[in-house]
């Protein structure tokens, strides 16, 4: 199962254009709102020069990159948490995503309708933020109202959870996201199944046509922090439709790899590699996962029946030129159940 990133924003900001460019899947794109009703879903191969270099040395018959799933969610509007513009349905689709790419319109085009009548990135950003906060507040209030109807709560875990939800309600009411709260690991586990929308990490993507259309400065830069990209999505769509030869001849370069890298960094993901049979393959996991957990990503038996794993950094494997040669040099380490997998390691699981 790949990690999922939801593409959200107001209508007509370039969400489907981004989806089409990054997934190379044909979707309907129009200059009027709500062209997308049901979410478009596509998996994207994650470019990784390390896998390419490993492949040149090992020379497998099959190469399988790791993937990230992108979900093109219909445009949200002011009042979405109350159901405006089918908002409840669209907000529910965000719950299943691990992170959010929020596309914000910063381009001028009279032919493309703007629901708020003019281009204002700061206002649009705040509309989406308010909708996510209000939906989370609605979720918390429903749970608290239900708990008040119960006569007595004796379960200590339930009491802890309710006290935490009261704290979250207070935070949401003051305009603070769940993501901004300093929660312990235990507190994160208590609310994990609620999948708060404002708890999901966000990458802000400002969609421009010309460089001069947007300068992120002052208040807006402070608000979005370092998690933003500035891209011309129409250009990215056009590049995605060209062949490799045409791209080279026109001296063009896509910037969408920046978005994939930003998703990795935001979700704190790492990649490890396996060489099994005739295949070299990359796998995505959360940073901090142990060797058995990483093995479970490959096959459930690798986690259940884990005995040990043999690991080597990808650079050392390339230097050795083969797994057998690396073993003879003593560069392959044997690790146990408690070993935490590091980014860029090549692993062979023993069960």
């Amino acid at each position: 199962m790949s990690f999922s990133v939801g593409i959200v924003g107001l209508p007509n900001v370039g969400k489907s254009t981004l989806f089409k460019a990054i997934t190379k899947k044909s979707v309907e794109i129009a200059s009027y709102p709500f062209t997308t009703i049901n979410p478009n879903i596509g998996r994207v191969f994650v470019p990784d020069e390390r896998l390419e270099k490993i492949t040149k040395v090992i020379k497998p018959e099959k190469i399988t990159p790791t993937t990230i799933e992108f979900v093109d969610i219909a445009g949200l509007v002011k009042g979405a948490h109350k159901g405006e513009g089918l908002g409840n349905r669209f907000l529910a689709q965000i719950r299943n995503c691990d992170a959010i790419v929020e596309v914000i319109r910063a381009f001028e085009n009279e032919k493309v309708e703007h629901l708020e009548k003019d281009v204002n990135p700061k206002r649009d950003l705040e509309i989406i933020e308010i909708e996510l906060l209000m939906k989370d507040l609605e979720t918390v209030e429903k749970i608290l109202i239900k708990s008040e109807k119960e006569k007595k709560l004796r379960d200590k875990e339930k009491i802890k959870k309710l006290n935490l939800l009261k704290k979250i309600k207070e935070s949401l009411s003051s305009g603070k996201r769940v993501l901004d709260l300093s929660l312990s690991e235990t507190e994160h586990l208590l609310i994990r199944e609620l999948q708060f929308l404002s708890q999901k990490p966000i990458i802000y993507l400002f969609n421009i046509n010309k460089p001069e259309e947007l300068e992120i400065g002052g208040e807006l830069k402070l608000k979005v922090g370092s998690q933003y990209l500035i891209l011309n999505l129409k250009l990215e769509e056009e590049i995605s439709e060209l062949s490799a030869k045409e791209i080279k001849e026109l001296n063009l370069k896509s910037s969408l790899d920046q978005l994939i890298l930003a998703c990795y960094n935001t979700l704190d993901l790492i990649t490890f590699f396996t060489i099994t049979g005739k295949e070299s393959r990359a796998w995505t996991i959360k940073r901090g996962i142990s060797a058995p957990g990483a093995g479970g990503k490959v096959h459930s038996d690798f986690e259940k029946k884990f005995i040990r794993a043999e690991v080597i950094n990808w650079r050392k494997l390339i230097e050795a030129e083969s797994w057998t040669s690396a073993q003879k040099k003593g560069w392959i380490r044997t690790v146990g159940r408690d070993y935490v997998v590091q980014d860029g390691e090549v692993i062979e699981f023993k069960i």
Side-chain angles (χ1 to χ4, degrees):
M1 180 180 172
S2 60
F3 289 86
S4 179
V5 178
I7 302 172
V8 306
L10 297 180
N12 292 354
V13 297
K15 299 182 304 300
S16 294
T17 303
L18 169 60
F19 180 83
K20 181 181 177 183
I22 202 164
T23 64
K24 295 180 173 57
K25 290 181 73 172
S26 180
V27 293
E28 188 176 357
I29 298 172
S31 59
Y32 50 84
F34 307 117
T35 308
T36 304
I37 298 296
N38 296 315
N40 298 307
I41 300 172
R43 284 186 178 166
V44 177
F45 287 126
V46 177
D48 196 325
E49 64 174 10
R50 297 172 300 181
L51 182 61
E52 293 172 11
K53 289 178 178 178
I54 291 169
T55 298
K56 285 179 182 177
V57 172
I58 303 300
K59 295 181 175 60
E61 291 181 8
K62 186 179 179 183
I63 307 152
T64 307
T66 188
T67 62
I68 284 187
E69 182 180 86
F70 283 90
V71 184
D72 176 22
I73 296 168
L76 297 173
V77 298
K78 193 183 292 183
H81 69 282
K82 297 177 183 177
E84 293 291 333
L86 296 178
N88 280 323
R89 178 176 170 184
F90 301 155
L91 286 166
Q93 291 163 359
I94 301 172
R95 291 196 189 281
N96 298 320
C97 299
D98 299 296
I100 293 170
V101 172
E102 183 177 332
V103 182
I104 302 160
R105 178 173 171 177
F107 66 87
E108 297 283 354
N109 188 334
E110 292 179 358
K111 294 179 181 179
V112 180
E113 181 185 346
H114 194 299
L115 219 62
E116 296 297 320
K117 307 306 178 188
D118 66 324
V119 176
N120 185 329
K122 182 175 181 293
R123 178 207 56 216
D124 295 355
L125 189 150
E126 288 174 348
I127 288 173
I128 298 298
E129 184 175 277
I130 289 168
E131 293 308 317
L132 299 182
L133 288 171
M134 294 303 292
K135 192 63 182 177
D136 283 349
L137 186 58
E138 178 188 290
T139 299
V140 171
E141 287 177 339
K142 282 181 179 177
I143 297 170
L144 291 176
I145 289 169
K146 185 180 177 182
S147 70
E148 286 171 6
K149 292 178 180 178
E150 296 180 19
K151 291 181 180 179
K152 280 188 179 181
L153 277 177
R154 295 178 182 176
D155 188 308
K156 289 182 179 179
E157 285 300 302
K158 283 187 178 180
I159 293 170
K160 280 183 186 177
K161 185 173 181 177
L162 285 173
N163 288 334
L164 175 57
L165 289 176
K166 288 174 183 176
K167 174 182 170 182
I168 289 171
K169 179 185 175 182
E170 185 179 336
S171 175
L172 291 168
S173 299
S174 64
K176 187 181 267 189
R177 300 178 301 172
V178 178
L179 185 66
D180 297 326
L181 291 173
S182 297
L183 301 180
S184 67
E185 187 62 38
T186 303
E187 287 175 322
H188 276 294
L189 289 172
L190 283 172
I191 61 171
R192 183 171 58 183
E193 81 281 359
L194 296 176
Q195 295 180 302
F196 285 119
L197 303 179
S198 69
Q199 193 178 16
K200 297 182 185 299
I202 300 179
I203 299 159
Y204 300 92
L205 195 161
F206 293 90
N207 184 13
I208 65 169
N209 280 342
K210 303 171 185 175
E212 62 269 22
E213 281 180 325
L214 179 68
E215 288 184 8
I216 299 179
E219 189 179 346
L220 191 56
K221 185 172 181 180
L222 188 66
K223 190 173 185 65
V224 301
S226 61
Q227 295 300 321
Y228 73 84
L229 295 169
I230 302 172
L231 297 177
N232 181 336
L233 295 181
K234 185 62 181 171
L235 176 61
E236 293 295 341
E237 180 196 1
E238 291 169 358
I239 292 173
S240 72
E241 294 173 344
L242 299 175
S243 66
K245 183 181 177 182
E246 288 171 323
I247 291 171
K248 188 176 181 180
E249 287 175 351
L250 294 169
N251 196 28
L252 294 172
K253 185 179 180 181
S254 171
S255 298
L256 290 177
D257 286 0
Q258 294 177 29
L259 176 58
I260 294 172
L261 180 61
C263 292
Y264 254 64
N265 291 337
T266 300
L267 287 168
D268 203 16
L269 304 177
I270 64 170
T271 300
F272 72 91
F273 308 97
T274 56
I275 303 167
T276 53
K278 298 176 181 179
E279 179 187 35
S280 288
R281 183 162 183 169
W283 305 86
T284 303
I285 56 171
K286 281 275 190 183
R287 190 181 302 277
I289 286 182
S290 65
K297 181 80 174 178
V298 179
H299 194 286
S300 58
D301 279 353
F302 286 9
E303 183 170 14
K304 294 173 187 174
K305 301 177 181 179
F306 180 90
I307 297 174
R308 66 183 186 278
E310 293 183 347
V311 304
I312 184 172
N313 180 272
W314 69 277
R315 285 192 180 90
K316 296 299 287 183
L317 179 60
I318 288 170
E319 187 181 340
E321 297 184 340
S322 74
W323 188 268
T324 303
S325 177
Q327 281 179 320
K328 289 178 181 177
K329 291 176 183 291
W331 290 353
I332 295 176
R333 294 175 295 143
T334 299
V335 300
R337 301 189 67 85
D338 296 334
Y339 181 75
V340 175
V341 173
Q342 303 300 306
D343 186 41
E345 289 183 325
V346 184
I347 307 178
E348 186 173 298
F349 297 96
K350 304 292 184 180
I351 61 172

